[in-house]
Amino acid sequence: MWLTCSSIGRKFVMALTGICLVLFVTFHCLMNGVALFWPSGYNAVCEFLGANWYALVATIGLAALFIIHIFYAVWLTLQNRKARGNDRYDVVSKPAQVEWASQNMLVLGIVILAFLVVHMIQFWAKMQLAEILHCEYVHEGVAVPPAAGSLFIQIAFSQIYTPIVYIVGFIALWFHMNHGMWSMFQSAGWDNDTWLPRLKKIGCWWTTIVVALFIAEAIVFTVRAHSNSFEDQLKEYVVEKASTHALQTGAVVPGMPGFECNQTDDCCGTPACPEAQAQECCGGVNCPEAQPENL
């Protein structure tokens, strides 16, 4: 089969998987942008993209794309080295048109892969995987719901190393995508003198905007994580869930007309809520102080 037996076919597979991954990265960047301006909306997106069948199918498909892309990248690199033989050890001057990124795509890919592993440990493993296994992540004695994306952002970016790892990963992503975007079009046959310069500019602008947004998001998330405590973010999340539950069911929550409470225990970050009404006033979420494991 020409997709595996020929160099052109393997490059075409690289291009096809590459454009799919570029589109995913762009979507992920926009999704993170929701968390900047509308945390509750971001949590709603996380809940929608939980362990539902369509989300699981998309996750499996995305994982397959990554694996195929990595496999073919290594395959092509080994093929090119074998073709060059001992010549690759010769010290020669590089043509001006040969970009630094094109000489280091495999290394950049390894850096991105390492960053991806950290990202998956911080988010995917604690969210979708935790929902699949029915095992919630516990932070500071509180079981964090898998759909609580804003809380996982708080947890991740409160760590000192997180912004450093992310920014290094984003820089590597910029070089990798910037070269890869126009290269995949070149592999598909769009390599004439008219279109290739245009595609290079489009790829550069696209990559720069996406990566710049990623870096800006990482900086804002870090500042917010160090400005607010996990406890404050937890209370905001529970009140948000309570409000959503009230809108859906007509239940009363602390502060709403018709709510009466004669206890002084602080529940859900709002005025007192008796245990008998905990499920109702907290939107189906128990008081974290009383039963943190059921949050």
Side-chain angles (χ1 to χ4, degrees), residues 182-293:
W182 68 260
S183 180
M184 63 188 176
F185 286 111
Q186 184 181 46
S187 299
W190 292 17
D191 56 350
N192 57 65
D193 294 337
T194 300
W195 275 103
L196 193 58
R198 297 176 181 176
L199 292 172
K200 284 187 176 183
K201 291 182 179 180
I202 293 173
C204 183
W205 275 104
W206 188 313
T207 302
T208 301
I209 292 173
V210 170
V211 172
L213 287 175
F214 268 132
I215 293 177
E217 289 163 357
I219 293 174
V220 173
F221 290 154
T222 301
V223 172
R224 287 182 179 177
H226 288 84
S227 300
N228 302 310
S229 65
F230 172 75
E231 182 180 2
D232 292 336
Q233 292 294 317
L234 176 63
K235 290 179 178 180
E236 289 183 12
Y237 174 78
V238 177
V239 170
E240 166 209 321
K241 294 296 293 183
S243 300
T244 302
H245 176 74
L247 290 173
Q248 293 174 346
T249 65
V252 292
V253 298
M256 289 181 60
F259 177 82
E260 296 180 358
C261 187
N262 55 13
Q263 296 190 10
T264 58
D265 295 334
D266 183 271
C267 173
C268 309
T270 55
C273 169
E275 293 184 7
Q277 294 178 282
Q279 289 293 329
E280 185 178 21
C281 81
C282 301
V285 181
N286 286 340
C287 303
E289 291 85 353
Q291 295 176 305
E293 69 278 4

Side-chain angles (χ1 to χ4, degrees), residues 32-39 224:
N32 289 353
V34 176
L36 288 178
F37 306 102
W38 189 19
R224 287 182 179 177

Side-chain angles (χ1 to χ4, degrees), residues 14 66-82 84 88 99-115 169 172-173 175-177 179-180 183:
M14 282 286 292
F66 270 108
I67 293 173
I68 293 172
H69 192 77
I70 294 170
F71 176 77
Y72 272 78
V74 174
W75 193 357
L76 284 170
T77 300
L78 294 177
Q79 179 188 26
N80 292 337
R81 289 187 176 182
K82 183 178 180 181
R84 289 196 304 267
R88 71 178 184 272
E99 299 180 353
W100 176 85
S102 67
Q103 302 292 320
N104 298 276
M105 288 296 280
L106 183 62
V107 175
L108 291 169
I110 292 173
V111 173
I112 295 170
L113 181 61
F115 157 68
L173 181 65
F175 281 105
H176 195 84
M177 283 180 55
H179 173 76
S183 180

Side-chain angles (χ1 to χ4, degrees), residues 119-201:
H119 182 65
M120 292 184 68
I121 291 174
Q122 290 184 326
F123 291 93
W124 179 80
K126 299 174 182 177
M127 298 175 73
Q128 189 177 74
L129 182 60
E131 187 173 349
I132 295 172
L133 300 178
H134 302 287
C135 181
E136 294 181 333
Y137 175 73
V138 179
H139 181 75
E140 295 184 1
V142 177
V144 184
S150 60
L151 294 182
F152 287 110
I153 290 176
Q154 169 72 24
I155 295 171
F157 284 91
S158 62
Q159 305 294 324
I160 297 177
Y161 68 86
T162 297
I164 299 174
V165 171
Y166 275 56
I167 291 176
V168 170
F170 291 147
I171 293 174
L173 181 65
W174 185 88
F175 281 105
H176 195 84
M177 283 180 55
N178 189 39
H179 173 76
M181 281 192 68
W182 68 260
S183 180
M184 63 188 176
F185 286 111
Q186 184 181 46
S187 299
W190 292 17
D191 56 350
N192 57 65
D193 294 337
T194 300
W195 275 103
L196 193 58
R198 297 176 181 176
L199 292 172
K200 284 187 176 183
K201 291 182 179 180

